[in-house]
Structures are given as C-alpha cells and as structure tokens.
C-alpha cells in the first residue's frame, strides 16, 4: 500500500467509476472504497445521452459492448390520461458521435468501466468497505475505513490521500464529514418502479418513452434496453409503502392499465423510489470534493440523473489529473463547482418543473394544464444548458460565445493506417482541431504538450498531425462557426474557436484559464 495515494474515492457508482478511470488512466495512484461487495446486477439509470456515451468510450473497455443492448430514444412524450401526447421533446439526432438519447442497461455500462479500472495497476478497489472517519490536513486527507457492518477496531485502517472524492450517494458520509449541507427545494415524491423482463414482443406503443399525466395516478413506461420494459407509478400520500413491494400490486396495475400479464412479462425488479430536488451548497471543502448524488438529487423527468453524475466524475477527474501532474495550479480546482453547479442546477430545476406539471392530481387543474399544453399557451421548455463559467474562452467583452461551452463533435477519422472514432485516434484529452498547420511558438506547443493536447490537421496532409475527416464532421463544425480551429476539453466541451491568426492567443488564454505552472511537465 502506498504511503499516500493521490486520490481516494468513496463510492463506486457512475461518478466514482468515471473519476477512477479518468485519474487511473493518467497514471495517478487511486484507491476506491465501496460499501457493496458486488456490482448491483439490476438496472437503475436507464436514459443515456451521447455525451455520456462518449465518456464511457474514454473510460471503459468497450463502448460498443456497453451499448450492445441499448435502444435509441427519439422523443420524450408527456401525454394526457389517454396517453395522447400533449408535449413531445425531440430527442432524435446525434451527439458526440452517438445517438443523442438511448435506453441502456446500467450494469452493462458500469461493467465496461470497471473492467477498464480493474486493468490499471495503479488503482486499488476495495469492495465491501465503508468509510467512517475523515480528517483534513494541510497537504493530505486521512480516511478511516472498515469492512461493511464491522465493529471490530482491529479491522479498521487509515489511509492518506492528497484529495478525496465523495461519490457515495444521497446519504453521503463524505459530504456530512466535510460539513457540507444540501439545499432542499421542497419537492418529495414516491414512485413505484417495476422493471419487467419481456417474454414476447410487446405492442408497438411500448417502444416509446411517455409520461402519462393521469390525475387519478400519474405513470410512465419506456423500453429498458432491448430485453426489458420499465413501468413507474406515482404513489398517493396515504398509500402504504411496504405494500408496494407485493408483486400483485405490479400485476394488478399492468392488467388494469395495459392488459399485460405473466404471459408477456416477468418481474425483474420492484422498488419504491423517493425523489427530491436538492443541490449541495458547496462541492469542495479544502481537499475534499463531492460528486453525483452526494452533490445533487433530481426527479427523473429529464432522464439526466446518471448522466449528470458521469459529468461530475469526468470534470473533477481531468482537473485533479492536471493538478497532480504538476502542470496546473490548485486554483484550477475551484472551477469544478463553478462549472458543474450552474449546469446541473438548470437540469435539476427543469426536471422539478416537469415534475410539478406531471403530478397534478386535481382533475380541474389537470384539465387546465392539458388545455394550455394542447393550445401552446405555455412557454416552451428551456434549452438544454451548456457551460457558461470556468475554463472557457472569453470574447473581448468577457462574454461567452454561443459555441463556447457547447459539446464538440466526434466523427470518424483516418490517421496513418488506422480508421475509427475520432477520440480513439486522437486520445481522450484536450484536442486542437485545425484546418491548417498551426503557427505556434515553442512555448505554446509546450503548453499543449503539458496538458496532453493532441493536434489534428484537416487540410495540410503533409503535416505529421494530418488526419482525414472521413464524414466531414469536423470540417462542417468549423465552417458552421466560421472558424479555422477549435480546442475541446477532456469532457468534450468546446474551450473556444479561433481564426488561424487568433489561434496563438487562444492557446495562451487556455494556459491562463488552466492556471498552468512554469514547471509544467508533459501529461
């Protein structure tokens, strides 16, 4: 066991897995503590966007394996009691080189990330182990752990780490030990979830995601990968939660509402979920950070709980990696909350608003809602957020351009004799995509080397960094934004675009925004 780890991670769900894979792949010494002995074998998170797929591509052993049973979702519908859509959110198209939205099987996705982590000799994962003590010092954190449910002092041990990430869920020990409180926005719902194994093909209508806003009992259904179906129903305030675990409750609802029974399906999982709208007031205290459900909880109407946790893990992962390598100063770590909290808060509150729309149980109020939605009397849903703060290029007036902070594209490239997804050929870190050979000083090229930034030259094929844009994805992006070059971050967000003449200044600004040190070493 090392004298001191670079990072200790408490909790090994999506946020912890992605953070461990990101830091471990960069060569840092990482230790992970997870209370459960084994990967939870049943689905929980189900909706996955293209951004999350791209992160799994970077942090997993095989994104194609992770998505082998996924189903593309082209829309999210909100319907009346007869399941006639009143509002349909367009989820079609591509994002980051993947379908914009998919229905996935969470254990399939987690398995490939854990497979990647297990292959890293510098990452140690201790399952069936819980943390119960945390003490911060000037240059490290002490974390005391023990086997799950153990009360034997002889089984306790204390490790030291330069930083700690608490990705240990809604009841986070790390968050509480760090003295971080959650802001609670007063929403609490109980929904019964039952995931079903499909024994035969279901009618076509079940191949969609729809929230049915029936004031008698709001409910929903959607495909759960290719082989399962998810159903959820809202519990009334006076309903006994324990009774909801009786399989007959599921069968009665499926028979009465959908005409389905044991000939078509079997029960995979039946559980009551409590939904809250909460966001942590702080995401960092000294050398301790929180991520995922430890930092925010939301209702499921945006399908973004798991995706947001994955964003957290990737964001803090690449920032800590630069600081630990000595390339960047610690001030960079302040950008973690500055970037993630506004972004996830926009999603949390949009989902909260949809929740209050869906869960109207007064018939008259429900009819007024339906009338307004049928006649487009309500304002449209807000656009999905992009990054607006932190490590981003600023215009002359300090504003952020529309393209800055948006997701960068990923297409197929040819480089040398290899063809494939762009990130697989260029690497999963910073990328400089440029039409022509960049005119940079040695210092500026040193900046790109220090942060592990790859260069892809699209048009000057004699350049050693030349690539062929097989589908024109990167070329179209530059044309659409009237640019000669752009830089994308390791979490796929556009740092900024530039003309050929403006590229040197963009690289200099990146170095400043990252708080790069003078003694930087190549990443």
């Amino acid at each position: 066991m090392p004298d001191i780890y670079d990072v200790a991670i408490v909790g090994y769900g999506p946020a912890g897995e992605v953070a461990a894979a990101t830091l471990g792949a960069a060569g840092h010494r990482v230790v992970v503590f997870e209370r459960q002995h084994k990967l939870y074998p049943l689905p929980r998170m189900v909706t996955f966007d293209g951004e999350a797929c791209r992160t799994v591509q970077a942090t997993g052993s095989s994104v194609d394996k992770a998505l082998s049973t996924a189903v593309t979702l082209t829309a999210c519908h909100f319907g009346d009691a007869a399941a006639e859509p009143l509002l349909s959110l367009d989820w079609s198209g591509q994002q980051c080189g993947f379908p914009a939205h998919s229905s996935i099987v969470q254990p399939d996705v987690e398995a490939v990330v854990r497979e990647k982590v297990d292959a890293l000799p510098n990452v140690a994962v201790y399952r069936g182990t819980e943390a119960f003590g945390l003490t911060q010092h000037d240059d490290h954190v002490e974390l005391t752990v023990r086997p799950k449910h153990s009360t034997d002092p002889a089984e306790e041990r204390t490790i030291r780490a330069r930083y700690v990430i608490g990705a240990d869920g809604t009841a986070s020990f790390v968050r509480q030990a760090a003295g971080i409180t959650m802001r609670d926005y007063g929403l609490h719902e109980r929904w019964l979830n039952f995931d079903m194994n499909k024994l035969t093909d279901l009618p076509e209508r079940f191949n969609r995601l729809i929230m049915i806003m029936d004031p008698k009992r709001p409910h929903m259904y959607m495909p759960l990968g290719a082989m399962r179906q998810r159903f959820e129903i809202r519990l009334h305030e006076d309903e006994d939660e324990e009774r909801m675990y009786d399989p007959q409750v599921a069968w009665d609802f499926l028979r009465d509402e959908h005409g389905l029974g044991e000939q078509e399906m079997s029960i995979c999982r039946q559980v009551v979920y409590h939904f809250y709208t909460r966001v942590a007031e702080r995401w960092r205290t000294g050398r301790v950070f929180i991520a995922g459900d430890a930092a925010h909880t939301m209702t499921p109407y945006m399908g973004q709980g798991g995706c947001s946790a994955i964003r957290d893990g990737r964001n803090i992962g690449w920032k800590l990696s630069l600081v630990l390598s000595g390339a960047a100063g610690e001030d960079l770590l302040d950008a973690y909350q500055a970037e993630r909290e506004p972004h996830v808060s926009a999603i949390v509150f949009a989902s909260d608003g949809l929740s209050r729309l869906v869960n109207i149980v007064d018939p008259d109020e429900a009819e007024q809602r339906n009338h307004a939605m049928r006649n487009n009397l309500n304002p449209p849903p807000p656009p999905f957020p992009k990054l607006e703060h932190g490590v981003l290029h600023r215009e002359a007036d300090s504003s952020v351009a529309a393209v800055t902070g948006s997701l960068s594209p990923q297409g197929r490239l040819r480089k040398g004799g290899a063809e494939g997804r762009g990130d697989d050929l260029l690497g999963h870190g910073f990328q400089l995509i440029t039409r022509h050979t960049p005119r940079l000083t040695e210092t500026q090229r040193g900046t790109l080397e220090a942060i592990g930034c790859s260069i892809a030259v699209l048009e000057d094929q004699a350049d050693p960094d030349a690539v062929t844009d097989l589908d024109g994805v990167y070329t179209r992006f530059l044309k659409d934004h009237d640019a000669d070059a752009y830089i994308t971050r390791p979490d796929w967000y556009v740092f900024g675009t530039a003309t050929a003449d403006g590229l040197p200044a963009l690289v200099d600004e990146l170095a400043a925004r990252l708080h790069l040190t003078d003694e930087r070493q190549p990443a």
Side-chain angles (χ1 to χ4, degrees), residues 82-408:
E84 290 297 324
L86 301 170
L87 169 68
S88 294
L89 304 178
D90 184 4
W91 279 10
S92 62
Q94 293 278 305
Q95 184 184 68
C96 293
F98 297 92
H101 292 85
S102 298
S103 165
I104 55 94
V105 178
Q106 182 174 345
D108 293 351
V109 173
E110 290 191 276
V112 302
V113 179
R114 293 185 180 206
E115 188 174 66
K116 175 79 169 282
V117 172
D118 288 345
L120 296 170
N122 49 307
V123 181
V125 179
Y126 294 93
R127 297 172 174 86
T129 305
E130 60 185 3
F132 70 97
L134 185 149
T135 304
Q136 289 210 57
H137 300 274
D138 289 342
D139 59 352
H140 71 280
V141 182
E142 288 184 343
L143 194 66
T144 305
V145 299
R146 63 190 172 200
K148 182 181 177 182
H149 300 318
S150 173
T151 57
D152 184 356
E155 294 187 292
E156 298 174 3
R157 59 191 175 112
T158 299
I159 64 98
R160 299 192 302 157
R162 290 185 172 87
Y163 299 96
V164 168
I165 300 173
D168 48 341
T170 56
S172 171
F173 158 76
V174 172
R175 184 187 67 232
Q176 295 178 55
I180 299 172
T181 58
M182 295 286 275
R183 303 188 191 101
D184 192 318
Y185 294 91
L187 184 142
H188 176 214
E189 299 171 13
R190 297 181 305 158
W191 280 66
L192 172 62
N193 163 273
F194 35 98
D195 294 333
M196 312 299 292
N197 302 306
K198 292 193 288 188
L199 306 180
T200 185
D201 291 337
L202 299 180
E204 178 66 25
R205 65 188 176 90
F206 289 104
N207 293 330
R208 60 178 177 167
L209 163 56
I210 184 166
M211 298 295 313
I212 300 173
M213 301 185 293
D214 185 348
K216 295 179 181 178
R217 188 189 293 277
H219 55 282
M220 66 82 70
Y221 60 78
M222 67 178 296
L224 179 51
M227 304 303 295
R228 298 184 180 91
Q229 190 79 18
R230 170 161 291 181
F231 298 88
E232 292 182 4
I233 62 176
R234 183 183 187 271
L235 300 190
H236 302 308
E237 291 185 6
D238 59 350
E239 286 186 302
D240 177 30
E241 188 168 316
E242 288 188 14
R243 195 179 76 81
M244 294 300 122
Y245 287 84
D246 182 348
Q248 195 59 45
V249 173
W251 291 122
D252 288 346
F253 174 81
L254 291 170
R255 181 193 65 244
D256 296 343
E257 185 66 33
H258 298 299
L260 297 173
E262 297 181 57
Q263 308 301 319
E264 292 88 4
M265 295 180 295
S266 64
I267 295 177
C268 170
R269 186 181 71 135
Q270 185 169 339
V271 64
V272 174
Y273 275 112
H274 290 247
F275 298 134
Y276 300 92
T277 298
R278 295 171 175 169
V279 180
E281 62 173 15
R282 289 177 293 147
W283 294 38
R284 175 191 184 186
T285 299
R287 292 178 171 270
V288 175
F289 303 83
I290 56 173
D293 285 353
H296 46 79
T297 62
M298 67 183 79
T299 60
Y301 305 99
M302 293 284 287
Q304 282 289 316
C307 295
S308 296
I310 287 170
R311 290 187 192 99
D312 295 347
R314 187 65 175 174
N315 190 298
I316 190 57
W318 73 257
K319 288 180 169 64
L320 277 173
S321 182
L322 282 181
V323 172
L324 288 165
S325 72
E330 279 210 0
D331 287 347
L332 173 61
L333 302 177
D334 290 332
Y336 170 57
Q337 181 174 356
E339 292 177 0
R340 289 297 306 128
E341 185 188 3
H343 188 277
V344 79
S345 292
I347 297 170
V348 166
F349 295 130
S351 188
D352 183 282
L354 288 172
S355 171
R356 297 175 193 275
L357 194 70
V358 167
N359 286 282
I360 293 173
V361 294
D362 179 85
D364 293 335
E365 189 178 351
E367 183 51 44
Q368 293 174 12
R369 171 201 62 200
N370 294 354
H371 173 78
M373 294 177 72
R374 286 192 187 99
N375 294 280
N376 298 315
L377 301 179
N378 295 325
F384 196 81
K386 69 184 189 77
L387 285 191
E388 301 280 359
H389 307 279
V391 183
L392 298 173
H393 164 65
R394 300 297 194 280
E395 302 296 311
D397 61 358
S398 297
S399 66
V400 174
V403 65
T404 301
S406 66
L407 287 168
S408 62

Side-chain angles (χ1 to χ4, degrees), residues 508-521:
D508 288 342
E509 183 184 6
L510 177 61
R513 299 282 177 198
L514 292 174
H515 301 277
L516 293 195
T517 63
D518 293 333
E519 294 80 24
R520 65 193 73 154
Q521 298 295 321

Side-chain angles (χ1 to χ4, degrees), residues 24-56:
H28 304 296
R29 294 172 297 176
V30 178
V31 62
V32 180
F33 299 106
E34 164 58 39
R35 293 184 76 250
Q36 304 304 323
H37 289 276
K38 296 180 180 179
L39 172 66
Y40 187 71
L42 301 178
R44 290 166 292 171
M45 168 179 61
V46 59
T47 49
F48 223 51
D49 58 25
E51 179 185 355
C53 293
R54 194 174 184 180
T55 301
V56 172

Side-chain angles (χ1 to χ4, degrees), residues 443-500:
T443 298
Q444 289 158 349
R445 286 188 175 271
T447 289
L448 299 182
E449 183 182 9
I451 63 175
C453 182
S454 60
I455 301 174
V457 178
L458 300 177
E459 297 182 17
D460 297 341
Q461 290 300 301
D463 190 286
D465 293 313
V467 299
T468 302
D469 186 1
L470 294 174
D471 301 318
V473 169
Y474 301 92
T475 302
R476 280 195 300 274
F477 183 81
L478 288 169
K479 181 179 179 180
D480 289 346
H481 298 288
D482 196 25
D484 294 313
Y486 71 91
I487 296 174
T488 186
R489 309 177 350 162
D491 50 4
W492 333 126
Y493 291 97
V494 175
F495 169 74
T497 63
T499 62

